[in-house]
Amino acid sequence: MATGRTHRPATRSRGIPEATVARLPLYLRALTALSERSVPTVSSEELAAAAGVNSAKLRKDFSYLGSYGTRGVGYDVEYLVYQISRELGLTQDWPVVIVGIGNLGAALANYGGFASRGFRVAALIDADPAMAGQPVAGMPVQHTDDLESIISDNGVSIGVISTPAGAAQQVCDRLVAAGVTSILNFAPTVLSVPDGVDVRKVDLSIELQILAFHEQRKAGEDVAEAAAVVPSAARAVAEAAADSSASVDGDGSGDSRKGPDGDVPAVMPA
Amino acid sequence: MATGRTHRPATRSRGIPEATVARLPLYLRALTALSERSVPTVSSEELAAAAGVNSAKLRKDFSYLGSYGTRGVGYDVEYLVYQISRELGLTQDWPVVIVGIGNLGAALANYGGFASRGFRVAALIDADPAMAGQPVAGMPVQHTDDLESIISDNGVSIGVISTPAGAAQQVCDRLVAAGVTSILNFAPTVLSVPDGVDVRKVDLSIELQILAFHEQRKAGEDVAEAAAVVPSAARAVAEAAADSSASVDGDGSGDSRKGPDGDVPAVMPA
DNA sequence: ATGTCTTTGTGAACGCGTGCACAAAGATGG
DNA sequence: CCATCTTTGTGCACGCGTTCACAAAGACAT
């Protein structure tokens, strides 16, 4: 899972709880699989199992959309697929731009899941002039200079940022100024956006750290905190390389980079 | 955001709420940035702003770790970096294996964020015999046949799955059987694991769908208002065909995992 | 020392999300 | 038409997470 939303305090969009919205895609996926197998109806119990959730929760989620089930029988698969698709806005076309075509950006461009349900990669944008015109996923990469015109010409309202952290906010600002109102951010940075703009964040590093926490807990439950603590080590590393302004690798996304996301160097614990 | 945890009902691990644990990496990143700029202390207000959270929330989060601040002054940056690192288990080495070296897997292997904070890519594993031995991110890809020995030889407890959906559960089972107890899953499938194994899911498609929901809602509400900033938004409201557009992308390859692009398809396993 | 000022740490209230448990609704069979 | 069985839809209670608001604690100046 991506690591959570950013904005949107407690907005229950049209009565549908945020937690429910986050599960609708899950249900949709399970339903689509059933649809392909020509299963006509499904019970809340079966569908819940397929989606990996509680059946009561699933029924309550569906109750927010309306009463689409038949008691004693279950839910009509096709009908539910359509209703959820419509509710999520997947019955319309969503042009998407990906900014930052490094390793991750290229992987996203090739990702089949994007092209499926209503999402269409309208353009790939990178700041590296050497990449301009080069085909990635059968589509020529365009230069950042044309970002604004690309957005407006294609009516893009959803942008994906897979640049290094240093460039993310700048790219974000330009996207928003050009009319983008939803952003999926892969760069390890907190983006600040004006009201009315949604930001969702996917942070690979954070996911791993959360796993590490639980892993440590599992391993350390029986054993008594066996950790060689050397706080001075971390302190020493931190002192090094403390230059003035943040290392602005301006465009990034070039060959010279090592990763798609220039992560903030961390303390390297021994 | 990666889309959330899977297991672990309401386990307040050692008194630290799950929501707090999920924010600790965020604080750590902000603190590390401050540390590099040699900032000695920081107030909860400043740090909260840098991490993009509420200051009261941040203080409460830190209160679960202990009283590490000084009233009237703030928090010692270096000390806090160390405390959070230790709490998250980043003071020790975490060997990680990545299974499924397609576009996404390769991007993950190159991802700098993995190598930073204590995580070390111990091995890259793929089922394609043609990939065996080929270098990715300066490391030879190994074949799935050796999965078990790789896990045990390196003492791996964290596995990353970036295979197609059809292969994910099978890979997951083997990882768990070999001793892995934490899994970061990029495949669009619900993984079932025994108790004691943590699974976190990152689902790009779901994130986009959630954004689309809010985007549609914004577009529907703004009809009345005159948000003249985005003229292109209204144009996008072209009703798409309401037929069985839910039919997914081709590629019903099913069993044969890695496709031409070897990336994660949006299809569910049967 | 004493007062003032800043900032932490936390008690308490509130709201959201979850899960239980059950009544209502409809299918099914005789 | 009635009885029975299955499954939905939801009222309710509970727990987690968030936020407010403030007292306690320490720094700092006089």
Side-chain angles (χ1 to χ4, degrees):
Chain A
M1 109 189 170
T3 311
R5 314 188 324 286
T6 300
H7 222 257
R8 194 159 300 281
T11 313
R12 208 165 39 257
S13 312
R14 197 182 122 202
I16 301 182
E18 190 63 28
T20 295
V21 173
R23 279 188 295 266
L24 289 183
L26 219 53
Y27 302 145
L28 182 56
R29 180 175 292 154
L31 284 165
T32 302
L34 291 172
S35 174
E36 285 168 3
R37 287 164 40 197
S38 301
V39 177
T41 61
V42 65
S43 71
S44 65
E45 203 72 49
E46 293 168 326
L47 185 54
V53 301
N54 185 290
S55 70
K57 190 185 297 184
L58 179 142
R59 287 198 302 275
K60 179 146 292 191
D61 283 342
F62 285 175
S63 77
Y64 292 116
L65 307 181
S67 293
Y68 295 148
T70 304
R71 298 178 189 227
V73 176
Y75 299 91
D76 183 276
V77 172
E78 296 301 328
Y79 187 55
L80 207 45
V81 164
Y82 170 70
Q83 288 297 341
I84 295 180
S85 293
R86 191 178 53 82
E87 197 68 50
L88 286 173
L90 304 183
T91 53
Q92 51 183 288
D93 178 64
W94 293 107
V96 173
V97 295
I98 302 176
V99 186
I101 313 300
N103 277 301
L104 181 57
L108 295 176
N110 282 298
Y111 178 53
F114 271 49
S116 59
R117 298 172 230 289
F119 298 101
R120 178 172 52 83
V121 178
L124 306 178
I125 303 176
D126 199 284
D128 185 358
M131 290 207 67
Q134 292 228 333
V136 170
M139 177 177 293
V141 175
Q142 297 179 266
H143 192 263
T144 316
D145 289 346
D146 303 324
L147 187 146
E148 282 77 12
S149 61
I150 295 170
I151 300 290
S152 66
D153 289 353
N154 292 279
V156 173
S157 56
I158 299 179
V160 177
I161 297 179
S162 50
T163 67
Q169 182 63 59
Q170 189 180 352
V171 166
C172 174
D173 291 343
R174 289 182 65 183
L175 286 175
V176 170
V180 167
T181 49
S182 287
I183 291 176
L184 183 51
N185 179 33
F186 286 87
T189 315
V190 177
L191 293 180
S192 68
V193 293
D195 280 354
V197 176
D198 281 301
V199 176
R200 292 189 67 86
K201 186 178 50 161
V202 175
D203 197 312
L204 317 179
S205 175
I206 285 183
E207 298 302 319
L208 269 192
Q209 291 178 47
I210 295 172
L211 281 180
F213 172 84
H214 293 302
E215 197 61 36
Q216 175 181 240
R217 194 178 56 82
K218 277 184 283 192
E221 271 177 355
D222 301 325
V223 186
E225 289 289 336
V229 290
V230 187
S232 55
R235 195 160 291 139
V237 175
E239 297 300 331
D243 204 64
S244 59
S245 60
S247 59
V248 183
D249 43 1
D251 63 283
S253 305
D255 305 314
S256 57
R257 294 183 303 107
K258 44 180 183 299
D261 298 286
D263 196 354
V264 184
V267 284
M268 282 303 267
Chain B
M1 91 195 199
T3 311
R5 317 188 323 284
T6 301
H7 222 256
R8 192 159 302 279
T11 313
R12 210 166 36 262
S13 311
R14 198 182 118 201
I16 300 181
E18 190 61 29
T20 295
V21 173
R23 280 188 294 267
L24 289 182
L26 220 54
Y27 302 145
L28 182 56
R29 180 175 291 155
L31 284 165
T32 303
L34 291 172
S35 174
E36 285 167 4
R37 286 164 39 200
S38 300
V39 177
T41 62
V42 64
S43 72
S44 66
E45 202 72 47
E46 294 168 325
L47 185 55
V53 301
N54 185 289
S55 69
K57 191 185 296 185
L58 178 141
R59 286 199 300 276
K60 178 142 291 194
D61 283 341
F62 285 175
S63 76
Y64 291 116
L65 307 182
S67 293
Y68 295 151
T70 304
R71 299 178 190 225
V73 176
Y75 298 92
D76 183 277
V77 172
E78 296 300 328
Y79 187 56
L80 207 45
V81 164
Y82 169 70
Q83 288 297 342
I84 295 180
S85 294
R86 189 177 55 83
E87 198 68 51
L88 286 173
L90 305 182
T91 54
Q92 52 184 286
D93 178 65
W94 293 106
V96 172
V97 295
I98 302 176
V99 185
I101 313 301
N103 277 300
L104 182 56
L108 295 176
N110 282 297
Y111 179 53
F114 271 49
S116 58
R117 297 175 232 289
F119 298 102
R120 178 172 51 84
V121 178
L124 307 177
I125 302 176
D126 198 283
D128 186 358
M131 290 206 66
Q134 292 228 334
V136 169
M139 178 177 293
V141 175
Q142 296 179 266
H143 192 264
T144 316
D145 288 347
D146 303 324
L147 188 145
E148 283 75 11
S149 62
I150 294 170
I151 300 291
S152 66
D153 288 354
N154 292 277
V156 174
S157 56
I158 299 179
V160 176
I161 297 179
S162 50
T163 67
Q169 183 62 60
Q170 189 179 352
V171 166
C172 173
D173 292 342
R174 289 183 64 183
L175 286 175
V176 171
V180 167
T181 48
S182 286
I183 291 177
L184 182 52
N185 179 32
F186 286 88
T189 314
V190 178
L191 293 180
S192 69
V193 294
D195 279 354
V197 176
D198 282 301
V199 175
R200 293 189 66 86
K201 186 179 50 162
V202 176
D203 197 312
L204 316 179
S205 175
I206 285 184
E207 297 303 317
L208 269 192
Q209 292 179 45
I210 296 173
L211 282 179
F213 172 84
H214 293 301
E215 197 61 35
Q216 176 180 240
R217 193 178 55 82
K218 277 184 285 191
E221 281 178 352
D222 293 347
V223 170
E225 298 183 11
V229 188
V230 193
S232 54
R235 194 187 63 78
V237 192
E239 266 300 332
D243 64 323
S244 62
S245 62
S247 60
V248 292
D249 46 295
D251 185 345
S253 57
D255 202 4
S256 68
R257 45 167 308 285
K258 68 116 184 91
D261 57 326
D263 213 334
V264 193
V267 259
M268 283 272 292

